[in-house]
Amino acid sequence: MNDTWNEICYELKSCIFNNALEKEYEEAFVNCMRLLGWKKSKKEISTQNVIQVGHEKKYADVVALQDGIEQFVIEIKRPGHVLQPEDEKQLFSYMRLLKHQVPIGIYVGDDIRIYYDDVSTQQYPECVCSIEIVEDNPIGSQFVELFSRDNFRLQHLVEFCKKQKARLDEQNQIQAEVQKILSDEKGSIFKELLKEKYTHSGYSLEWADAVLEQITLNVSPSVRNQSIEVTSKILGVSTGDRKNRDRTRYSILGGKPLPKNRFVLEVVRLFVKNNPKTYHEYVGILNPLRQDSFGTIERLSKANEPRYFMAEEDRLQSLDGVIFVVCTQWGISNIAPVIQFANEQGYNVIPFNSDK
């Protein structure tokens, strides 16, 4: 499976590196389908497949068929194309307008994305898997297993998508709950739980209130595992007091301790140095580390000072020539994902508490 995936990477990476035209990229992916065992001679691959919509004709880039019945549809955009909602909607319309409506759609650009249409939800299809086009990618090997012609079973693919969707839904629920807890600045949720514990233990409500009125709860993400930490302080010491601001610095690979924003810059710089990729690939890997409108990185042409490191020596460049910069806005509330990412890369992050 891994050898086949690596051949697919070789085919597609050549197009990405040479910034191929969309038609050339489509031909390359058709060759990839042949590597997976799908045959044009047996009419298992249909390119520019005609879809009749009223009096209008539309053309799906590639449709895979089994015994003359459509199994999945593929939308292909040239390398460097930034995926837009309109691109997804176009793929979704093809999935639903084919003679035999298909639950699986594939988007091919700088990465490969699998979409699943759960018609029972009455919602748009969802991306359940994004696969980076790099050699020896274990998810790529799974892609080969799922889409190889000899092994292909649509029901197996649907079951895979359902499991992926369930995992994503669970993660979204977890993140929603985390945000709910983090937005409770006064710690009301935890105070109510403590009050319930005290009353169940036989204490009066007045007693519980007397205890809880004397403490303030500060809720923040845990640096180590992104779970929720609750710390208490004697009433009268404001959690927003400047003298209590977190001043932890971090070093990587035994280097000097750095402020949080410089630490993030060095993590990104080191990752870029060791992992040459296109800008779109970097966006897919690095921007999820920061869930807001800034993102971890941004194109130099779109970035604004002072929210990004704009100095010439701090700028970075992707494999496809895009110059980009790193966000400067980092604190204890959003640094945890970067720390975890850095440790996953083997950068050996060490915190230094400068308050002591």
Side-chain angles (χ1 to χ4, degrees):
M1 296 297 178
N2 217 34
D3 287 344
T4 303
W5 171 251
N6 288 345
E7 283 293 313
I8 290 173
C9 287
Y10 179 83
E11 189 82 26
L12 298 182
K13 278 292 188 182
S14 176
C15 291
I16 292 172
F17 184 79
N18 293 306
N19 198 25
L21 297 175
E22 192 165 298
K23 185 63 179 176
E24 295 172 324
Y25 204 35
E26 179 184 312
E27 291 172 357
F29 196 77
V30 168
N31 288 337
C32 294
M33 291 190 66
R34 289 171 173 163
L35 287 172
L36 293 171
W38 300 85
K39 308 292 186 184
K40 259 196 165 184
S41 60
K42 294 184 179 180
K43 297 183 178 180
E44 295 174 338
I45 303 173
S46 173
T47 57
Q48 295 302 304
N49 189 87
V50 178
I51 300 175
Q52 193 72 38
V53 185
H55 298 293
E56 183 183 358
K57 288 183 179 179
K58 294 191 174 184
Y59 299 87
D61 290 337
V62 182
V63 175
L65 302 97
Q66 197 174 51
D67 300 324
I69 298 175
E70 298 95 336
Q71 301 296 307
F72 54 91
V73 61
I74 304 166
E75 177 70 12
I76 300 170
K77 295 296 182 186
R78 66 176 297 175
H81 174 82
V82 178
L83 178 64
Q84 303 292 330
E86 292 73 20
D87 302 325
E88 293 181 312
K89 289 178 181 178
Q90 186 176 43
L91 174 61
F92 302 162
S93 68
Y94 294 156
M95 293 167 67
R96 294 182 174 181
L97 290 172
L98 286 170
K99 182 179 179 181
H100 300 92
Q101 182 174 333
V102 298
I104 307 297
I106 299 176
Y107 171 86
V108 181
D110 287 340
D111 58 7
I112 299 173
R113 305 186 184 199
I114 302 174
Y115 289 83
Y116 171 57
D117 189 5
D118 184 355
V119 294
S120 65
T121 65
Q122 300 299 311
Q123 296 177 346
Y124 279 130
E126 294 181 66
C127 178
V128 296
C129 185
S130 180
I131 308 169
E132 192 178 359
I133 303 172
V134 293
E135 292 185 356
D136 300 319
N137 186 343
I139 306 176
S141 296
Q142 194 170 17
F143 174 84
V144 170
E145 183 178 355
L146 288 167
F147 286 93
S148 291
R149 176 61 182 85
D150 289 344
N151 299 328
F152 184 81
R153 299 292 184 275
L154 183 59
Q155 189 54 43
H156 292 172
L157 185 53
V158 168
E159 289 171 1
F160 165 81
C161 290
K162 285 182 176 180
K163 289 179 181 178
Q164 287 290 108
K165 184 176 182 299
R167 290 194 191 101
L168 292 172
D169 289 344
E170 182 180 29
Q171 286 302 312
N172 288 334
Q173 290 171 359
I174 289 172
Q175 290 306 309
E177 188 65 20
V178 168
Q179 290 306 313
K180 176 183 174 183
I181 294 171
L182 290 175
S183 65
D184 180 21
E185 296 179 356
K186 296 181 179 179
S188 301
I189 295 173
F190 295 98
K191 283 191 174 184
E192 286 301 316
L193 291 172
L194 283 170
K195 185 184 293 187
E196 185 177 334
K197 174 183 180 296
Y198 288 141
T199 54
H200 283 174
S201 299
Y203 294 99
S204 67
L205 282 173
E206 291 77 11
W207 188 92
D209 287 336
V211 170
L212 297 174
E213 284 173 0
Q214 297 184 58
I215 64 172
T216 297
L217 297 180
N218 175 33
V219 185
S220 62
S222 169
V223 171
R224 288 191 175 181
N225 57 19
Q226 301 183 57
S227 62
I228 304 303
E229 269 186 345
V230 183
T231 58
S232 63
K233 298 180 180 180
I234 300 297
L235 186 65
V237 180
S238 169
T239 58
D241 196 321
R242 293 181 67 86
K243 68 182 180 181
N244 290 311
R245 180 185 298 170
D246 181 87
R247 293 184 174 85
T248 305
R249 294 181 173 228
Y250 302 92
S251 76
I252 59 175
L253 296 177
K256 67 178 182 179
L258 299 168
K260 295 179 184 64
N261 56 1
R262 282 282 165 186
F263 160 73
V264 175
L265 175 62
E266 289 307 309
V267 168
V268 175
R269 194 198 305 274
L270 188 58
F271 181 76
V272 169
K273 179 182 177 181
N274 295 334
N275 301 274
K277 298 180 184 298
T278 65
Y279 176 71
H280 185 64
E281 288 174 319
Y282 285 136
V283 168
I285 295 169
L286 298 171
N287 278 359
L289 301 177
R290 183 187 177 103
Q291 298 294 326
D292 60 19
S293 59
F294 293 154
T296 305
I297 62 174
E298 180 59 276
R299 291 174 183 265
L300 177 64
S301 59
K302 294 183 178 180
N304 294 319
E305 234 178 330
R307 292 175 176 172
Y308 295 89
F309 287 104
M310 304 292 283
E312 188 171 350
E313 63 269 20
D314 294 332
R315 298 172 188 175
L316 301 168
Q317 187 169 348
S318 62
L319 189 62
D320 51 345
V322 176
I323 298 175
F324 61 95
V325 289
V326 177
C327 186
T328 60
Q329 308 297 296
W330 299 92
I332 192 63
S333 64
N334 63 2
I335 196 71
V338 180
I339 294 171
Q340 180 175 340
F341 174 80
N343 280 326
E344 287 171 352
Q345 308 309 311
Y347 299 164
N348 190 26
V349 178
I350 300 176
F352 291 83
N353 192 335
S354 59
D355 289 338
K356 297 180 180 180

